[in-house]
Amino acid sequence: MKKIGQKFTAFFFIAASIALLLVGRSQSALIEQTRAQIFNAFIPAIKVVDFPRGATSSLSDWIRNVAVVFSDNQFLREENANLKRQLTEATELEIDNLRLKNLLNIKDGTVTTITASRIVSDSNSPFFKSMLINSGTNDGVKKGHAVVNEEGVIGRTINVAANASRVLLLNDINSRIPVKFADSGVNVILAGDNSPLQLIEFMPEEEKANIGDLILTSGMGGVFPPDLPVGVVSEFTEFGGIRVNPSVNLNRLNYVSVIEYEIASFPTLIEEPVENPPQNEEVEE
């Protein structure tokens, strides 16, 4: 009996499954409508449940954006304040400079480009560093004119003919140029010694130099205008000397410019004549 009951139960479930399958295939439209109604009933509930999550996410994004905007605004305020302070300081320095110039009646020096020249030859000597250019007195070149290019200082004219001039390079042993440290403003002399590097002379003992310090012309001497690039500090000798690597590659020159620098003139002091004190007249007896 037990086996007969199990067989009957299995047969019943098989028959029920087949019946449900047949009903489902024949009543597919009814099932789809029922499913749609169930979805329609649950969608509002899903929206209600999902609303707090969406609202929380939007609030979190809004707070994050407000924090970013506040931080950027604070940074921009500080940067604006710094720029205003720097502008004020620069304006005050400019005003003080103009006042000082007006007080002393000082005029800035003038720089005139005489001519652009091509290099004809160089000395190629270990004892004399110079080069010959194809410009001379016919082009307005004079002895002592500065010779430069777009990279910086090259040298100065020492011999001038009608159509040619000889230029003493800054690395020649006879070359001495007044220069200064760009950062500290310390005035020194740049001396050549016929080597690729130049030597700083008359460095004050209390002043210190660092590798990479920029060296500029000081404007003293009336040959080179101030603030032209000369070189950078490249090494120190064992005896404390300072070596400078020139800004211009003196071995690869083709064209140069000859310039004239007219140094600023100081006002002439006019001395007022001193009146002689009155002398006592002799009284006739």
Side-chain angles (χ1 to χ4, degrees), residues 186-201:
V186 176
N187 292 306
V188 291
I189 298 295
L190 184 74
D193 60 358
N194 291 344
S195 70
L197 303 181
Q198 287 76 64
L199 185 65
I200 291 292
E201 294 183 345

Side-chain angles (χ1 to χ4, degrees), residues 15-225:
S17 299
I18 294 172
L20 288 174
L21 180 62
L22 294 175
V23 171
R25 293 180 64 88
S26 62
Q27 302 293 331
S28 58
L30 178 61
I31 293 174
E32 291 295 332
Q33 290 179 1
T34 303
R35 184 183 300 163
Q37 293 295 331
I38 294 172
F39 284 161
N40 290 334
F42 275 98
I43 284 175
I46 294 173
K47 289 183 177 180
V48 171
V49 173
D50 190 60
F51 177 78
R53 185 190 64 81
T56 303
S57 177
S58 299
L59 180 61
S60 177
D61 293 339
W62 181 80
I63 293 174
R64 187 182 302 109
N65 292 333
V66 169
V68 171
V69 171
F70 179 79
S71 177
D72 292 343
N73 189 32
Q74 186 70 17
F75 173 76
L76 291 175
R77 285 177 181 272
E78 294 177 357
E79 186 177 17
N80 189 32
N82 290 332
L83 291 176
K84 285 183 177 180
R85 183 168 57 254
Q86 293 175 7
L87 179 61
T88 301
E89 293 175 355
T91 304
E92 290 176 353
L93 289 176
E94 183 178 1
I95 293 174
D96 291 341
N97 191 24
L98 290 175
R99 287 176 178 173
L100 184 60
K101 286 185 176 182
N102 292 332
L103 179 63
L104 299 177
N105 193 23
I106 295 176
K107 296 180 180 179
D108 293 330
T110 57
V111 179
T112 304
T113 300
I114 303 300
T115 184
S117 304
R118 184 171 58 84
I119 297 173
V120 179
S121 66
D122 56 46
S123 62
N124 196 23
S125 167
F127 307 106
F128 188 65
K129 302 298 181 181
S130 68
M131 64 184 185
L132 195 67
I133 60 175
N134 64 345
S135 298
T137 55
N138 291 341
D139 303 291
V141 180
K142 298 179 182 179
K143 181 180 179 180
H145 277 168
V147 180
V148 301
N149 68 1
E150 68 279 1
E151 295 178 338
V153 174
I154 296 173
R156 66 179 186 275
T157 56
I158 54 173
N159 299 113
V160 182
N163 296 304
S165 301
R166 182 160 294 279
V167 178
L168 184 72
L169 301 179
L170 59 83
N171 63 338
D172 186 87
I173 195 170
N174 298 302
S175 175
R176 298 292 186 276
I177 297 177
V179 296
K180 65 181 179 181
F181 284 81
D183 292 336
S184 63
V186 176
N187 292 306
V188 291
I189 298 295
L190 184 74
D193 60 358
N194 291 344
S195 70
L197 303 181
Q198 287 76 64
L199 185 65
I200 291 292
E201 294 183 345
F202 305 110
M203 182 70 173
E205 294 182 358
E206 65 275 11
E207 298 292 340
K208 302 296 181 183
N210 299 305
I211 299 296
D213 283 350
L214 178 62
I215 307 297
L216 305 174
T217 54
S218 64
M220 298 181 180
V223 176
F224 297 95

